[in-house]
Amino acid sequence: MNLRDALAQPSPWRHNNKVDIDFPMLVACMLLMGIGLVMIASASSAVAYTNTGNTFHYFIRHMIYVAIALVAGGVTLFIPMSVWQRHSGWLLVAAFFILTVVLIPGVGREVNGSRRWLGVGVLNIQPSELAKLFMVVFVAGFLVRRKAEVQQRLRGLLKPLGLALLMAFLLIKEPDYGAVVVLLGSVIIMLFLGGVSLVLSAPLLIILGLVFFFFIGFEQYHLERMISFTDPWVDQYGSGYQLSQALIAFGRGEWLGLGLGNSIQKQFFLPEAHTDFVFSVLAEELGMIGALTTLALFMFVSVRALYIGVWAEQAKQYYSAYLAYGLALLWIAQVLINLGVNVGLLPTKGLTLPFISYGGSSLVVCCISLAMLLRIEWERRTQLLAEDSMSKAQITAMAKGVRGAR
């Protein structure tokens, strides 16, 4: 089925001449996106005025990203899950291609020592965001195609895990360690949900853990970065600078916050205030109440995404179920790592907060993921309605047959 055929099919946008969509999930994600717009307008104002002379420079760019993301999500709603499953292999090939291209000097754009972006005109595309999504799409299909192999043979575990490790290697070369953790964590949990035996996987997981700790200790700056977050005040103006400034922002916010737009830390005290550390500015301006409300929204959409997977599995739509689990895990991992970094529970990593942080690639992928989840929920519900209608028709036909026999 090509894209034109897919767009001609029924979808959540037009089913029985009405919009038939999971509104609780959609509304919660739109609220998060709205919070992101407000906080980016506030958190980026000082740096935008200094860099460009326009206080709303980054806010305007982010609004453009929002428009692109909404269009991408809207188109995704028309695409059946069977199309994603059929082309999952090619999407994985595309993921490896863009992750390789971004490493080529002169092609990939280097910012702050990391080569993570591909330039398309005035826009920057971050291949790691698409790569994580495409890997989840592929693993979901693999778990369906090779279910017996995954559950009973070691090679069923090694194949997808080997591909994930190869992708992680490319991400390390950028480097993008946060994406590595999100990718490997999501894939490993998906494999467990697919029925991988603990007896087969335990030795491999132990080896991976040892390799991880060896990698940390191999370079001195890796070790220092891992340790500095435990007490950022020891080197407040060095390795612990970002975290100490983030914690000051949380302290200033108290319960009700300083008020929208009144953050002090965004005035060049806190680096990356509108990207990786936007949650710290949110806590400073909106207080603990605003931070907990945002966290509650993230908890709702994450749990809802997992439930969509459970509902799809109950309807025997196994590909959709595994894909929903994977998308939920990507969100959960990014939220936990970003918030953990902001409050000092995890080492500093450059990882965006879904739907809220400044960045076009992250926002587009989040909206595509949301559209996939909405499509999964709709397909599961329409299948159940069709099965229920068939059952009623069969009962009616049987009743007519009984009356006719009489």
Side-chain angles (χ1 to χ4, degrees), residues 7 61 63 70 74 83 87 93 123 131 133 197 208 212 226 253 258 277 285 288 306 313 331 344 349 354 366 383 405:
L7 296 178
R61 285 176 64 91
M63 287 190 68
L70 291 176
V83 174
H87 298 289
V93 172
L123 300 177
L133 174 64
S197 170
L208 284 175
F212 174 73
M226 287 295 295
L258 299 178
F277 284 87
E285 294 189 349
M288 184 63 71
L306 290 172
E313 192 168 7
W331 285 359
K349 296 291 179 187
C366 282
Q383 176 183 308

Side-chain angles (χ1 to χ4, degrees), residues 31-103:
L31 285 174
L32 286 171
M33 196 178 300
I35 292 172
L37 273 171
V38 172
M39 293 314 306
I40 287 167
S42 175
S44 67
S45 58
V47 66
Y49 183 77
T50 301
N51 292 342
T52 68
N54 181 3
T55 303
F56 297 104
H57 173 77
Y58 294 110
F59 172 70
I60 293 171
R61 285 176 64 91
H62 193 71
M63 287 190 68
I64 296 173
Y65 295 149
V66 168
I68 295 172
L70 291 176
V71 170
V75 172
T76 302
L77 273 175
F78 285 99
I79 304 175
M81 287 300 106
S82 58
V83 174
W84 293 103
Q85 184 176 4
R86 189 176 307 118
H87 298 289
S88 60
W90 289 110
L91 291 175
L92 184 66
V93 172
F96 278 109
F97 175 75
I98 58 177
L99 286 178
T100 304
V101 169
V102 77
L103 297 176

Side-chain angles (χ1 to χ4, degrees), residues 24-25 27-29 31-32 35 279 282 288-304 335 339 353 356:
M25 183 70 160
V27 170
C29 289
L31 285 174
L32 286 171
I35 292 172
F279 190 76
L282 184 151
M288 184 63 71
I289 301 300
L292 290 177
T293 301
T294 305
L295 181 58
L297 285 171
F298 276 122
M299 291 177 63
F300 175 80
V301 298
S302 299
V303 172
R304 185 84 176 180
V335 170
L339 298 189
L353 188 60
I356 291 183

Side-chain angles (χ1 to χ4, degrees), residues 19 44 53 127 138 151 158-159 170 179 203 209 211-212 217 220 234 241 244 251 253 279 291 341 396-397:
V19 176
S44 67
F138 173 80
Q151 295 177 349
L158 291 176
K159 289 177 181 179
L170 293 175
V211 170
F212 174 73
Q220 183 64 27
V234 172
Y241 180 77
S244 61
F279 190 76
V341 167
T396 302

Side-chain angles (χ1 to χ4, degrees), residues 12-30:
W13 281 129
R14 53 181 191 86
H15 182 234
N16 295 331
N17 296 320
K18 65 178 182 180
V19 176
D20 185 13
I21 208 164
D22 183 0
F23 281 104
M25 183 70 160
L26 179 62
V27 170
C29 289
M30 291 301 101

Side-chain angles (χ1 to χ4, degrees), residues 303-376:
V303 172
R304 185 84 176 180
L306 290 172
Y307 265 110
I308 288 174
V310 171
W311 296 333
E313 192 168 7
Q314 290 173 346
K316 302 189 186 307
Q317 297 176 346
Y318 295 110
Y319 174 76
S320 296
Y322 294 137
L323 179 56
Y325 293 145
L327 296 174
L329 290 168
L330 288 179
W331 285 359
I332 292 170
Q334 287 194 213
V335 170
L336 289 178
I337 292 175
N338 184 278
L339 298 189
V341 167
N342 274 255
V343 301
L345 294 177
L346 293 173
T348 302
K349 296 291 179 187
L351 202 64
T352 57
L353 188 60
F355 294 106
I356 291 183
S357 292
Y358 176 82
S361 299
S362 174
L363 191 58
V364 169
V365 170
C366 282
C367 284
I368 291 174
S369 301
L370 170 62
M372 286 180 170
L373 289 166
L374 294 175
R375 178 83 195 195
I376 290 170

